[in-house]
Structures are given as structure tokens and as C-alpha cells.
């Protein structure tokens, strides 16, 4: 399924001019120390590949990101979102986007039997040239506390 989604994303990207970014989620600051009965995983780079890809045309796009083992069951999670991130400031060097994302995440069997949970968040992204940092605030969901997720983003291609 992942291959189908990524292939579709690439084909859509080729058909419609936009930009592709590589995402590297690196931290999650939770509003509580515990996620269910275990300590929340806040370092997303400590146990393997944590990466993703985003496509955006104007201010509408979609993203796929993997994350380090989540705090529930220590499973790797996958996040699929539709994103709306209009630029609120831009000059020759800097830009700022503000918006949000909705979608779903996998790997959360302790929160929902299927392991698939809804995902939503509000984001701010600030960029210089081809590099940006994005912070996303997510609400709590069942035993999962609200969190702030930090992500480095690198523009791979724009046309």
C-alpha cells in the first residue's frame, strides 16, 4: 500500500507543478510524561529511519512520514496527511507558512484495535532557501497526550 501511495504522489507531482520536500521528524515534546503506562518517546532519531516526503502545490499538499517507535507498544508509526499551509510571509530569502494537517497514523493498537488513529495538527514552518523547520501541535487522543512535533525539511525539487 505504501508503494502505491508514494507512486501516486510522484505521478501527481509530475502532472502538477509544485515542490517536493524530504522531511526528518526529530523530536516530539508531549504535554505529559506518560503515554498510557509508559514514558513518551520524545527523541525520534534514536532508533532508526525517521523520514518522510511532502508534495505541495501553492498551499495545498500531502505528506507521508515515518516516525521512530511510538510510545504505545514501541511500534514504528506511519503518518499520512492532507496539508494546507499558505505562506503568510515571503521575501527573497525567508518564508513563513501557517496551516494544518488532517489524516491518520498507524501503529497505535493500544489506542484503537486496528492500530489506525486519526491525526490532526496545526503547524508553523519557517524557511531559509531550501531548508525549513516546522513545528506541529497535535491534540490529545485517548491516552495519547497533546504534543509538539519538530521536523527539519529539505526542498528536494521544485518546478
Amino acid at each position: 500500500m505504501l508503494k502505491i501511495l508514494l507512486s501516486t504522489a510522484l505521478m501527481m507531482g509530475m502532472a502538477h507543478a509544485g515542490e517536493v520536500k524530504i522531511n526528518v521528524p526529530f523530536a516530539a515534546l508531549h504535554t505529559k510524561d506518560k503515554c498510557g503506562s509508559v514514558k513518551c518517546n520524545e527523541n525520534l532519531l534514536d532508533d532508526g529511519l525517521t523520514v518522510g516526503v511532502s508534495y505541495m502545490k501553492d498551499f495545498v499538499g500531502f505528506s507521508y512520514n515515518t516516525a521512530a517507535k511510538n510510545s504505545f507498544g514501541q511500534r514504528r508509526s506511519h503518518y499520512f496527511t492532507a496539508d494546507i499551509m499558505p505562506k503568510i510571509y515571503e521575501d527573497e530569502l525567508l518564508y513563513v507558512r501557517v496551516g494544518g494537517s488532517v489524516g491518520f497514523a498507524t501503529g497505535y493498537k493500544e489506542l484503537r484495535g486496528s492500530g489506525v488513529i486519526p491525526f490532526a495538527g496545526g503547524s508553523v514552518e519557517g524557511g531559509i532557501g531550501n531548508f525549513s523547520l516546522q513545528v506541529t501541535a497535535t491534540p490529545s487522543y485517548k491516552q495519547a497526550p497533546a504534543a509538539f512535533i519538530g521536523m527539519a525539511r529539505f526542498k528536494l525539487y521544485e518546478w
Side-chain angles (χ1 to χ4, degrees):
M1 174 149 170
L2 176 59
K3 289 179 184 178
I4 293 170
L5 287 170
L6 290 176
S7 297
T8 302
L10 288 173
M11 286 189 295
M12 286 177 64
M14 289 177 198
H16 302 285
E19 67 181 22
V20 175
K21 290 184 178 181
I22 299 297
N23 305 323
V24 181
F26 59 85
L29 175 62
H30 296 82
T31 56
K32 295 182 181 176
D33 290 339
K34 297 279 186 172
C35 290
S37 62
V38 298
K39 183 172 176 13
C40 294
N41 184 10
E42 296 196 331
N43 180 357
L44 302 180
L45 297 176
D46 64 353
D47 66 344
L49 185 64
T50 303
V51 68
V53 63
S54 297
Y55 168 76
M56 185 162 289
K57 169 142 175 64
D58 299 324
F59 62 90
V60 178
F62 54 88
S63 299
Y64 162 74
N65 293 294
T66 65
K69 294 177 183 173
N70 69 46
S71 298
F72 295 90
Q74 297 294 303
R75 291 178 190 87
R76 184 169 297 280
S77 291
H78 302 273
Y79 300 85
F80 301 87
T81 60
D83 311 312
I84 296 177
M85 294 285 295
K87 285 183 180 172
I88 62 165
Y89 175 80
E90 181 177 24
D91 64 23
E92 296 83 29
L93 184 62
L94 306 170
Y95 69 88
V96 176
R97 291 183 183 268
V98 175
S101 304
V102 295
F104 64 92
T106 66
Y108 289 92
K109 288 190 180 285
E110 287 74 14
L111 298 179
R112 193 165 181 201
S114 68
V116 178
I117 63 169
F119 180 88
S123 300
V124 174
E125 177 185 17
I128 299 174
N130 290 330
F131 173 76
S132 64
L133 289 174
Q134 179 173 311
V135 175
T136 300
T138 63
S140 62
Y141 178 77
K142 297 189 177 183
Q143 299 96 357
F148 297 93
I149 302 164
M151 183 179 340
R153 305 180 79 202
F154 305 89
K155 189 183 303 179
L156 183 64
Y157 193 75
E158 184 173 11
W159 65 103

